[in-house]
Amino acid sequence: MKNTTVLISGASIAGPALAFWLARYGCTVTVVERAPGLRSGGQAVDFKGETHRTVLAHMGILDDIRALQTGGQDQTIVDAAGRPLAVIPGEFTGGEIEIRRGELSRLLYERTAGDCEYRFGDTVTSLTDTPGGVHVTFANAAPRTFDLVIGADGIHSNVRRLAFGPEGDFVRHLGHYYALVELGADGDPVMYNEPGRMVALGGPKAPAFFVFASPQLQYDRYDPQAQKDILRRAYRGAKWRVPELLARLDDATDVYLDSISRAEVPAYARGRVALLGDAAYGNTLGGFGTGLAVVGAYVLAGELRAAGGEHRTAFARYESLFRGYASISRKGSAGPFLAPGNRARMAMRNWMFRSPWMLRQLLKATDKFATSIDLPQYP
């Protein structure tokens, strides 16, 4: 292969999954991550269907993931008095195999740390694409030149901003925000709704989980206090256990708030720079992001291997094979489903989970989307 020095931005799921394959194919891989270390916690993520299982088995981590799986639990939707209204089955929320995001990230890191260079607490500040490689400057490290650069750094991708253009050109706000806050509220999984607002507690998705309708907000995504203030305003006057949870916010040390948004890029690559995972085809809370990231890493690395490292051919093949499969990320939004805008829509959503026939249709649809790719077999 040629073009064997590769910089990957992002050390969550997509980046280490790609690093796994590229290192196996003989590339020299560097992974840069803004955070000071691996991010623990977060929501549980899931895999479903033969396509996901096949890729995980090829990576040799399917059994490890099964050993760490949370075993998705049923979640009860309750009213303000705590009375049950409907039950969301664990097979719907947790897919076939559910695992905490932090556990999956750690597993992928452990499988790649010996073969790749990881740089935590740093970020790319500029990219200059030249015929001989991409000249990269960093916030902390010395400048370097890489044959290829891959942005696997999420829906707010820094690489996409530097190589493709401003985030506003490629990310569409879908009318809702979500937050994950460690509030020490455990117990059986429950979910409470008011029009345009949702709170979920307990179960494998350990942090308190909030979803609320809102126009696009301007705030510092790295300022926990600003995020807490937004939550207080969004849930002012809410019933059930919400006042108790808001009272705990001051002591919460782990809070993450972000928009429910969709990434829409006209092409996955520009020159020697390509995008992977949520940076290219993310849909927040859409239910397919982790599977798309892992399968996308397999296809992107496999096409580079099949093309002998010739990036133009490989990037074009990656997009041709994957765009149709990733199109599920362009469908719908989790916001109106999790936090319906009025009581009639809340009742309709709850009825869907009380209808065995409707639930079967929902599960069939997700299985179909998860396997709708003719998965190539690479050497």
Side-chain angles (χ1 to χ4, degrees):
M1 286 179 64
K2 59 181 181 179
N3 291 330
T4 57
T5 60
V6 182
L7 173 68
I8 300 171
S9 177
S12 179
I13 305 299
L18 179 64
F20 173 89
W21 291 110
L22 291 180
R24 175 172 288 191
Y25 294 149
C27 294
T28 301
V29 180
T30 300
V31 182
V32 62
E33 167 59 50
R34 180 191 295 270
L38 289 179
R39 292 170 173 168
S40 60
Q43 279 189 290
V45 297
D46 61 84
F47 299 98
K48 55 179 73 71
E50 183 180 357
T51 298
H52 293 178
R53 289 195 307 272
T54 298
V55 173
L56 296 174
H58 284 338
M59 296 177 75
I61 61 173
L62 180 57
D63 289 341
D64 298 286
I65 289 175
R66 283 179 167 152
L68 294 168
Q69 66 182 330
T70 59
Q73 296 174 266
D74 294 348
Q75 185 174 50
T76 303
I77 303 173
V78 300
D79 65 12
R83 293 174 298 221
L85 301 173
V87 175
I88 305 176
E91 60 185 321
F92 180 82
T93 59
E96 182 181 334
I97 309 170
E98 185 181 70
I99 180 174
R100 289 184 175 89
R101 175 177 287 276
E103 292 285 346
L104 178 59
S105 178
R106 178 185 58 80
L107 178 61
L108 291 171
Y109 172 76
E110 290 174 351
R111 291 300 181 96
T112 54
D115 301 312
C116 306
E117 175 191 9
Y118 277 84
R119 288 186 171 274
F120 290 99
D122 207 352
T123 188
V124 176
T125 54
S126 71
L127 298 169
T128 305
D129 200 337
T130 73
V134 185
H135 183 70
V136 183
T137 61
F138 299 91
N140 299 316
R144 292 170 63 182
T145 297
F146 298 86
D147 294 321
L148 303 173
V149 173
I150 310 297
D153 43 358
I155 203 160
H156 300 295
S157 172
N158 184 45
V159 166
R160 186 188 59 224
R161 178 182 62 84
L162 292 170
F164 288 65
E167 179 172 310
D169 292 349
F170 305 106
V171 176
R172 178 185 171 195
H173 176 58
L174 298 179
H176 288 74
Y177 280 79
Y178 76 101
L180 299 167
V181 190
E182 291 287 355
L183 294 175
D186 52 13
D188 293 332
V190 291
M191 186 172 89
Y192 170 70
N193 277 112
E194 293 178 358
R197 303 193 285 199
M198 183 277 280
V199 183
L201 301 174
K205 297 177 175 59
F209 179 36
F210 300 81
V211 175
F212 60 94
S214 171
Q216 194 158 9
L217 303 172
Q218 299 298 322
Y219 68 100
D220 183 351
R221 292 192 298 112
Y222 301 101
D223 182 350
Q225 189 58 50
Q227 298 176 52
K228 293 177 183 180
D229 292 342
I230 289 171
L231 272 180
R232 288 193 181 93
R233 290 194 296 270
Y235 284 84
R236 186 177 293 127
K239 298 179 181 179
W240 188 56
R241 296 178 58 187
V242 176
E244 164 205 340
L245 299 174
L246 295 181
R248 300 188 196 179
L249 272 180
D250 283 336
D251 297 326
T253 57
D254 190 354
V255 55
Y256 179 83
L257 183 143
D258 204 352
S259 63
I260 295 181
S261 300
R262 178 187 300 132
E264 300 174 342
V265 296
Y268 293 168
R270 182 167 293 180
R272 292 177 173 268
V273 180
L275 302 176
L276 172 67
D278 284 354
Y281 32 80
N283 187 340
T284 315
L285 305 181
F288 291 89
T290 305
L292 287 174
V294 171
V295 178
Y298 169 80
V299 173
L300 174 55
E303 290 303 323
L304 281 166
R305 174 66 179 86
E310 206 294 301
H311 66 283
R312 296 177 186 85
T313 300
F315 289 168
R317 283 278 299 163
Y318 159 57
E319 176 150 357
S320 174
L321 285 166
F322 207 73
R323 185 171 282 275
Y325 182 58
S327 65
I328 180 58
S329 67
R330 300 175 68 90
K331 294 177 168 56
S333 167
F337 181 81
L338 294 169
N342 56 53
R343 296 197 178 277
R345 291 178 179 175
M346 288 163 51
M348 178 63 72
R349 191 272 318 274
N350 295 347
W351 170 82
M352 290 171 58
F353 288 113
R354 292 195 297 268
S355 167
W357 180 86
M358 182 61 72
L359 181 60
R360 284 196 300 271
Q361 303 313 305
L362 289 171
L363 292 172
K364 284 181 182 178
T366 58
D367 288 345
K368 176 183 176 182
F369 288 130
T371 57
S372 62
I373 184 173
D374 186 11
L375 198 65
Q377 298 297 312
Y378 299 109

